[in-house]
Amino acid sequence: MENNEKMVRLPLFGLPKLWPFIKKYKRMFIWMIITGIMYSVFDSIIPLFNRYAINHFVAEKTLDTIVIFILGYLGVTIVQCIINYINVMFCAKIELYMDRDLRNGAFSHLQQVSLSYFNKNNVGYIHARVMSDTGKIGELVAWQMMDVVWWGSYVIFAIVVMLLIDARMAMYLILLLPIAGLVTWFFEKKLLIYNRQVRELNSKITSDINEGITGVKSIKTLAISKKINKEFKDDTDKMFNKCIRTTHHSAMFTSVMTLLSTMALALILWKGGRLTVEGLVEIGTLSVFMSYALGMLEPIQSIINSITRMIAVGVNIERYLDLVNTVGEVYDSPEVIEKYGDSFNPKYENFEKLEGEIEFKDVTFKYPDGEEIVLEDFNLKVEKGQSVAIVGETGAGKSTLVNLVCRFFEPTKGQVLIDGRPANERSLKWLHSNIGYVLQTPYLFSGSLRDNLIYGKEDATDEEILEALNKVGADKILSKLKDGLDTELGEGGDFLSTGEKQLLSIARALLADPKILILDEATSSVDSVTEHAVQKAISTVTKDRTSFIIAHRLSTIVGADTILLVSDGKIIERGTHKELMKKKEEYYSLYMRQFEELETWAGR
């Protein structure tokens, strides 16, 4: 309960932080508020028309000026409808603009944060920030704020009108407003807590569905369908019970507010009726107060409801701001941005040619969220065009060097030099545009085969694409595709085998013509036949390029210029294949063990 009360106070302080997104549309906001107030003014004076009609046409039994009355009433109604239309359009546009800008801002920021951010936050959390939170914030800024302005101004104008007409009767209604406010606040606070619990359970159920679909093969092969089904049923039962409790309080709230409204009407009829009989109040005036008695409590309920929602959305504001204000561990300095531009506005004319010489100079490194030193006073110089293989057992820390070369992380101490200059003296865009990265599990984007291959070189011709496919032996894949380069691969290219996707990702890297190439376990997920094709493609693509090859199968890296053996995040041996085999230490043992395993399998 303490948490919930803390969260209730968040949004009023979080909302001003959205000003950078709001100020672009401040004129629209001003007009939204003006039209909302104008509508409230018309809404609050409509009962005065009824008063005039009853006092003049009914009480005096005359139809004099009826035409003028009808035209006036119709004119006010038309103007009110026009104002309402304009106001709704402003609200809708602001909501849509805010949704678009907030999502664009979040997605753009995600393209620039450090890799470690994605290690710390799962996809579901990030997706909720970009889609769900932004939608709630857009609704808050447009509709909830407008409701507070709209209904708040209505209550003020209605009270002013009542006081001007008859202060005695106005006080009866005004005294009921705090009671209605307290009742609304009490129930809304309860409903806020229950709705938050329902949303959390809904997120859990969504996660269960996602795991049940994406992990269906594992569920079936592990024979845990009954267990998964029970967990899902338990979660839906919990959500059902919470929803029942929420509905119970909501129904009680509605009933209490209806009772208060009826009491207000009864009070006006009792007091106003006596005054009317005594001739102290006109019957038309009684009609006005009856209208306000029936309609006054709804605005109070709407105002508190909107404020409660604004309070609830404060959590979404804080979460969104946490995302967009995240500062990555790796970023370009203002001086670098001034010269080279940023990721979205690069100054290509200032990009120097990258040759491919890389040097680790007294590098000490530990991961931002870790305590253990992974590299300590490490030195290594890789000449232009050389290949470095990084090997070791699973989980040994083979990716550390690659992460530093790519500037996914910065050294804790020391420097990584690119062509003799510290890597951070030039932009991340400059570096990454010169790096080709082939992942262990190849990833293909939605779109055609051509779209996927030209990501690294958008102006590539079909001839260049075909040449890259031929060089890596992926032309056979093209020949079996119905629409050739225009074939839609769908999400992840699921109808292609892992080996085929790997060959295509290597062709994509070759087409981009990077100066530095990184191959991360490129042959570990393919069969032995495909491995030969992938290995041949790797030989083609690494030629005359500085390359780092992370490998589990040692037979694939015997020709590397330098081999680094990693254990427990530290480099324990380095040298060529021949040098390491002569030492007959850890590398020798690892290689012979793999060789024996291969022989055992071959003899079966």
Side-chain angles (χ1 to χ4, degrees):
M1 184 70 181
E2 208 171 279
N3 268 347
N4 288 326
E5 289 178 354
K6 183 179 180 183
M7 292 170 84
V8 162
R9 294 192 291 270
L10 276 172
L12 297 178
F13 301 100
L15 193 58
K17 296 177 183 177
L18 293 174
W19 178 243
F21 294 95
I22 296 173
K23 66 180 180 181
K24 290 169 35 179
Y25 310 109
K26 60 184 179 181
R27 288 186 180 179
M28 203 175 290
F29 269 98
I30 291 170
W31 278 109
M32 179 183 79
I33 292 170
I34 290 173
T35 53
I37 293 173
M38 288 174 64
Y39 185 88
S40 298
V41 170
F42 281 100
D43 225 18
S44 62
I45 64 174
I46 287 293
L48 297 180
F49 279 87
N50 298 335
R51 179 193 183 204
Y52 178 84
I54 292 171
N55 288 341
H56 184 69
F57 300 124
V58 178
E60 297 181 10
K61 297 180 181 180
T62 178
L63 294 179
D64 290 345
T65 70
I66 186 69
V67 175
I68 297 174
F69 174 83
I70 292 173
L71 291 174
Y73 192 92
L74 184 62
V76 168
T77 304
I78 291 172
V79 171
Q80 190 180 23
C81 289
I82 293 171
I83 291 171
N84 181 63
Y85 170 80
I86 295 171
N87 181 261
V88 170
M89 287 300 296
F90 278 132
C91 289
K93 285 183 177 181
I94 287 171
E95 180 186 18
L96 293 173
Y97 282 134
M98 287 293 294
D99 284 355
R100 182 195 66 184
D101 291 354
L102 290 170
R103 285 168 183 164
N104 287 345
F107 192 78
S108 296
H109 187 73
L110 286 170
Q111 306 310 304
Q112 300 178 74
V113 296
S114 302
L115 196 64
S116 58
Y117 180 83
F118 299 96
N119 295 334
K120 297 173 188 174
N121 300 283
N122 61 48
V123 175
Y125 173 86
I126 297 172
H127 184 272
R129 300 296 76 77
V130 176
M131 296 303 295
S132 178
D133 285 350
T134 54
K136 288 186 172 79
I137 293 169
E139 181 183 351
L140 159 71
V141 171
W143 302 104
Q144 304 306 327
M145 285 178 62
M146 191 61 253
D147 277 351
V148 172
V149 171
W150 193 334
W151 291 117
S153 55
Y154 172 82
V155 170
I156 293 170
F157 289 128
I159 289 174
V160 170
V161 170
M162 287 190 294
L163 288 172
L164 290 174
I165 294 174
D166 193 305
R168 293 168 301 175
M169 290 178 63
M171 292 308 299
Y172 295 128
L173 276 181
I174 292 171
L175 289 173
L176 279 176
L177 296 182
I179 299 173
L182 286 171
V183 169
T184 302
W185 176 81
F186 173 78
F187 279 103
E188 286 292 344
K189 188 177 180 183
K190 291 285 186 184
L191 289 171
L192 172 64
I193 295 169
Y194 294 146
N195 281 321
R196 184 179 293 128
Q197 292 171 348
V198 169
R199 286 199 303 271
E200 288 172 357
L201 285 168
N202 185 62
S203 297
K204 179 67 168 61
I205 289 171
T206 302
S207 177
D208 290 343
I209 294 171
N210 183 58
E211 288 185 358
I213 295 171
T214 58
V216 64
K217 287 185 180 178
S218 298
I219 291 170
K220 290 183 179 296
T221 53
L222 292 170
I224 56 172
S225 297
K226 183 177 179 180
K227 178 178 180 297
I228 296 296
N229 191 58
K230 183 180 182 303
E231 290 175 355
F232 184 79
K233 185 178 181 298
D234 289 343
D235 287 337
T236 54
D237 285 344
K238 287 178 185 176
M239 184 171 175
F240 172 80
N241 292 328
K242 290 293 181 184
C243 287
I244 289 292
R245 183 176 292 184
T246 303
T247 303
H248 168 73
H249 277 78
S250 182
M252 187 180 294
F253 176 38
T254 303
S255 299
V256 171
M257 292 304 292
T258 302
L259 177 62
L260 283 175
S261 183
T262 304
M263 287 173 60
L265 180 61
L267 186 62
I268 291 299
L269 283 172
W270 177 46
K271 292 291 183 181
R274 288 176 59 185
L275 292 172
T276 303
V277 170
E278 293 171 5
L280 299 175
V281 172
E282 294 175 322
I283 192 169
T285 300
L286 177 62
S287 171
V288 170
F289 278 89
M290 287 174 63
S291 297
Y292 286 133
L294 288 171
M296 184 62 75
L297 297 186
E298 181 185 352
I300 299 298
Q301 180 180 342
S302 297
I303 291 168
I304 295 176
N305 181 47
S306 295
I307 292 173
T308 304
R309 289 184 182 180
M310 289 170 71
I311 289 171
V313 175
V315 179
N316 304 100
I317 294 174
E318 294 297 319
R319 287 174 178 170
Y320 177 83
L321 292 173
D322 282 345
L323 188 158
V324 296
N325 292 330
T326 298
V327 179
E329 291 89 0
V330 182
Y331 54 87
D332 290 330
S333 67
E335 295 77 17
V336 168
I337 294 174
E338 177 66 26
K339 181 176 180 180
Y340 297 99
D342 58 26
S343 297
F344 297 105
N345 300 286
K347 298 178 181 178
Y348 289 113
E349 66 275 11
N350 294 334
F351 281 19
E352 299 94 347
K353 181 181 179 182
L354 191 149
E355 298 295 336
E357 179 190 284
I358 298 169
E359 182 179 0
F360 290 82
K361 194 173 182 180
D362 300 323
V363 170
T364 296
F365 176 74
K366 65 178 180 181
Y367 285 97
D369 54 349
E371 295 297 327
E372 185 179 353
I373 293 176
V374 179
L375 292 176
E376 188 168 14
D377 296 325
F378 175 73
N379 290 277
L380 173 70
K381 187 168 185 178
V382 182
E383 300 292 344
K384 171 186 174 182
Q386 282 191 331
S387 59
V388 177
I390 307 169
V391 300
E393 299 285 1
T394 301
K398 298 188 290 294
S399 298
T400 300
L401 287 178
V402 166
N403 287 335
L404 291 171
V405 170
C406 294
R407 279 194 72 198
F408 293 151
F409 299 94
E410 300 280 27
T412 307
K413 291 181 182 178
Q415 292 180 318
V416 176
L417 306 179
I418 308 290
D419 292 344
R421 288 177 58 185
N424 60 8
E425 287 187 3
R426 287 181 282 199
S427 71
L428 287 163
K429 178 69 174 178
W430 171 82
L431 177 61
H432 292 164
S433 62
N434 283 288
I435 291 178
Y437 205 128
V438 179
L439 299 166
Q440 176 182 358
T441 304
Y443 186 82
L444 297 178
F445 297 90
S446 297
S448 68
L449 175 57
R450 179 187 286 101
D451 293 336
N452 269 275
L453 293 174
I454 65 173
Y455 270 112
K457 188 181 180 183
E458 294 185 356
D459 59 349
T461 63
D462 284 0
E463 290 72 20
E464 291 173 319
I465 295 172
L466 294 173
E467 183 182 357
L469 290 171
N470 288 331
K471 282 185 176 179
V472 302
D475 49 316
K476 294 178 182 178
I477 302 172
L478 183 63
S479 64
K480 72 176 189 177
L481 296 177
K482 181 181 176 183
D483 297 319
L485 292 174
D486 294 318
T487 302
E488 291 291 326
L489 299 183
E491 187 175 357
D494 288 338
F495 68 88
L496 297 172
S497 69
T498 302
E500 288 173 330
K501 287 190 280 188
Q502 193 64 283
L503 287 173
L504 291 176
S505 65
I506 294 172
R508 180 167 59 194
L510 178 62
L511 189 63
D513 193 23
K515 299 302 179 183
I516 301 172
L517 184 66
I518 294 168
L519 302 163
D520 188 354
E521 300 273 19
T523 62
S524 64
S525 346
V526 298
D527 56 67
S528 56
V529 176
T530 309
E531 180 186 355
H532 178 71
V534 173
Q535 191 59 42
K536 186 177 178 183
I538 289 173
S539 299
T540 300
V541 80
T542 55
K543 188 177 180 182
D544 299 326
R545 289 183 176 85
T546 305
S547 55
F548 291 82
I549 306 166
I550 300 175
H552 179 69
R553 298 175 186 173
L554 304 188
S555 59
T556 63
I557 49 89
V558 293
D561 296 311
T562 301
I563 297 173
L564 305 175
L565 177 61
V566 181
S567 179
D568 295 327
K570 294 180 175 58
I571 295 169
I572 59 173
E573 288 187 60
R574 72 168 74 180
T576 64
H577 174 71
K578 288 182 179 179
E579 290 170 347
L580 295 176
M581 289 299 288
K582 283 181 182 178
K583 288 182 179 180
K584 292 191 176 181
E585 294 178 358
E586 291 294 327
Y587 178 83
Y588 174 84
S589 300
L590 187 61
Y591 184 85
M592 293 307 294
R593 187 160 65 248
Q594 286 192 8
F595 182 76
E596 288 170 5
E597 289 173 357
L598 186 62
E599 287 289 307
T600 302
W601 278 100
R604 288 188 176 184

